[in-house]
Amino acid sequence: MKKILLACCSAALSLAAAAQSGYVPASENIAARQQFADDRFGIFLHWGLYSLLGQGEWVMTNQDIDFREYRKLAGAFAAPAFNAHEWVTAIRQAGARYVCFTTRHHDGFSLFDTAQSDYNVVDASPLGRDVVRELADECRRQGLGIHFYYSLIDWWREDAPRGRTGRGTGRDPRKEDADAYFDFMKAQLTELLTQYGPVGAIWFDGVWDQDQNPGFDWRLDELYGLIHRLQPACLVINNHHLAPFEGEDAQTFERDLPGENSAGLSGQEVSRLPLETCQTMNHSWGYRITDCDYKPVDELVRYLVGAAGRGGNLLLNIGPQPDGRLPEAALERLAGIGEWLERHGETIYGTQAGPVTPRAWGVTTRRGDKVYLHILDWPDTELFVPLQGLRVRQATACDSGERLDFRQNDDGVVIRLGERTATPDHIVVLTIRQ
Ligand code: GLC
């Protein structure tokens, strides 16, 4: 146990040392961070060859599929129903402000027209269209940001450094060549950042694959430096499950709200960078044919509210089907969340975490002179809110518009809640004396 802990610490140290040292974000990057934080809600899309097998995006390594066999899937990737306009329309109507798309996942297949390898959607599949371009163009047309997920690990390329996953995919270990692999990644990132318009973020994943090899150098200084040179406003986000390294512009958490760690991937400290939590609508990232267990709309709304109350964004995942459609269950969730945000968006977008830390009854968000109490678990007829120093001018039930009685002292305010009118989130708006 001790040994593992030591290994993890030294891995974190050597990684941090290798990140973009002396990084000073450009003014357009600072503005982009604020925009990102104001957006509060994005949709994650995990789509690739793995959708054809319907067992999630890890199927290649989980089933030890030979990389030459896996490539044959590309010949069947026709996705006749893929329509970027329909995807982005449903996502925009859900109230999401950006899309994060898997340009290349761990199976190494590129969903864009890269010149660095013919193992890509245009050259190797009957679909034959640049999915990344269609999505990026459509997002721009509909006013959404586009973020690119980009895997640092690759189970398909023979030159890719071997980590703890992808070891059974039949590659010749003598062909491992980190220099060639990093050149490939830098060339691909250059394509993504020069040929697809403004990119909101590059979202890296896979650092954890080398956690048993603490000396491993991910060359993050070069990767981050390249991104910031090509597009200074582009945010660098890295799903490494550690405290942020220099050169990163936002911090992401996997399957847990900032400060919580129920899934075991989020024990890292919460930084002062903009925060984001990625979570799935069901249990899977990539399409899994047996996973129809989608969370109800109310639960997803409460998750979004929980993220906002902790000062973070929700990046909510959908795994599109192999035919190119978004699952019906996902479309229903998108519509439900959209309906809620249509009515209550002002309590989420452009807010900060409120003055009260998360409580058993719920969370708070704040914008200007308004504090929003998001009551997720109905306490009783009265609610004490420890506002410490803030003076309340008025309290209103959001849905009914009813004025609520309250009394206050230096510790906070006690509000008479009246009738419970709304699920999943009963919102009380406090107007604060400025
Ligand atoms: C994990 C999984 C990866 C997925 C990611 C999304 O890192 O390994 O497959 O893309 O989470 O957060």
Side-chain angles (χ1 to χ4, degrees):
M1 180 63 188
K2 214 164 168 194
K3 227 169 164 185
I4 295 175
L5 271 179
L6 274 176
C8 286
C9 288
S10 52
L13 282 179
S14 66
L15 279 165
Q20 197 184 350
S21 54
Y23 172 59
V24 180
S27 57
E28 53 267 59
N29 187 284
I30 300 286
R33 291 180 186 191
Q34 186 61 52
Q35 179 64 57
F36 174 73
D38 287 347
D39 285 348
R40 278 294 178 256
F41 180 34
I43 291 293
F44 212 170
L45 295 170
H46 275 71
W47 200 41
L49 298 184
Y50 42 80
S51 68
L52 289 159
L53 299 179
Q55 297 177 55
E57 78 289 356
W58 274 52
V59 59
M60 185 181 186
T61 188
N62 287 348
Q63 307 268 341
D64 284 340
I65 301 175
D66 185 281
F67 74 109
R68 286 154 292 219
E69 291 302 312
Y70 192 89
R71 186 193 170 115
K72 294 178 188 169
L73 291 173
F77 194 60
F82 169 64
N83 182 321
H85 176 73
E86 286 176 12
W87 284 15
V88 176
T89 302
I91 290 168
R92 178 177 49 75
Q93 288 172 349
R97 299 270 166 99
Y98 60 96
V99 171
C100 184
F101 183 69
T102 48
T103 59
R104 171 176 149 278
H105 207 272
H106 311 332
D107 67 352
F109 187 69
S110 297
L111 276 290
F112 61 105
D113 188 13
T114 177
Q116 311 311 318
S117 161
D118 62 5
Y119 181 51
N120 74 68
V121 67
V122 175
D123 295 322
S125 81
L127 176 55
R129 286 152 52 192
D130 186 332
V131 171
V132 169
R133 179 169 312 286
E134 292 185 24
L135 269 176
D137 288 351
E138 191 58 38
C139 280
R140 212 155 294 127
R141 222 170 280 135
Q142 299 203 33
L144 273 73
I146 182 81
H147 297 187
F148 292 155
Y149 171 106
Y150 191 78
S151 174
L152 291 164
I153 63 181
D154 194 307
W155 300 324
W156 189 86
R157 289 181 69 89
E158 295 214 276
D159 58 8
R162 311 297 193 265
R164 67 172 151 84
T165 65
R167 302 191 80 92
T169 62
R171 295 169 296 166
D172 181 349
R174 286 166 308 185
K175 298 211 174 136
E176 198 175 316
D177 180 349
D179 287 338
Y181 181 65
F182 276 96
D183 284 348
F184 160 78
M185 288 207 293
K186 282 189 272 181
Q188 279 211 321
L189 286 167
T190 302
E191 291 175 334
L192 288 170
L193 288 157
T194 56
Q195 296 174 20
Y196 294 86
V199 177
I202 297 289
W203 205 98
F204 287 115
D205 192 20
V207 158
W208 36 259
D209 196 44
Q210 294 287 350
D211 55 13
Q212 288 156 12
N213 180 12
F216 187 82
D217 181 6
W218 280 110
R219 308 188 192 182
L220 299 178
D221 52 344
E222 291 174 46
L223 300 180
Y224 293 1
L226 175 74
I227 295 165
H228 288 135
R229 200 164 56 248
L230 293 174
Q231 290 202 24
C234 179
L235 305 184
V236 169
I237 303 178
N238 196 333
N239 183 36
H240 46 50
H241 309 149
L242 300 165
F245 309 149
E246 245 183 316
E248 294 170 10
D249 303 300
Q251 181 179 19
T252 197
F253 295 81
E254 185 174 333
R255 291 183 189 267
D256 260 303
L257 297 174
E260 296 188 341
N261 190 16
S262 60
L265 299 168
S266 304
Q268 70 272 37
E269 80 184 47
V270 179
S271 76
R272 300 178 68 85
L273 293 177
L275 309 175
E276 182 188 63
T277 281
C278 58
Q279 182 57 284
T280 55
M281 275 195 187
N282 49 3
H283 300 277
S284 316
W285 300 105
Y287 177 66
R288 185 181 296 273
I289 199 161
T290 49
D291 183 5
C292 300
D293 187 22
Y294 281 69
K295 298 169 185 73
V297 170
D298 279 7
E299 190 178 330
L300 295 172
V301 166
R302 291 153 70 92
Y303 210 77
L304 172 64
V305 170
R310 288 165 178 80
N313 293 11
L314 173 61
L315 179 61
L316 182 61
N317 182 73
I318 300 172
Q321 296 171 176
D323 65 358
R325 278 184 230 280
L326 302 182
E328 199 53 44
L331 290 170
E332 283 166 20
R333 282 12 177 226
L334 289 177
I337 299 169
E339 228 169 82
W340 188 85
L341 273 171
E342 180 78 30
R343 284 179 288 124
H344 301 298
E346 65 160 280
T347 72
I348 301 292
Y349 302 123
T351 62
Q352 301 161 274
V356 179
T357 53
R359 304 280 140 162
W361 50 263
V363 298
T364 60
T365 54
R366 176 173 190 168
R367 191 188 22 213
D369 69 343
K370 298 279 188 280
V371 169
Y372 302 102
L373 309 180
H374 296 271
I375 302 170
L376 302 170
D377 273 306
W378 194 250
D380 206 334
T381 50
E382 291 198 331
L383 176 68
F384 170 67
V385 187
L387 281 177
Q388 288 167 352
L390 294 179
R391 305 301 286 180
V392 175
R393 194 153 57 79
Q394 184 178 305
T396 313
C398 188
D399 281 284
S400 64
E402 183 196 348
R403 289 281 183 93
L404 303 175
D405 290 337
F406 62 89
R407 54 183 192 277
Q408 77 181 321
N409 59 27
D410 289 346
D411 295 333
V413 58
V414 175
I415 302 160
R416 286 199 67 81
L417 291 175
E419 284 284 298
R420 180 171 199 180
T421 53
T423 52
D425 176 16
H426 184 100
I427 303 170
V428 172
V429 186
L430 302 181
T431 308
I432 301 297
R433 277 183 215 285
Q434 297 282 49

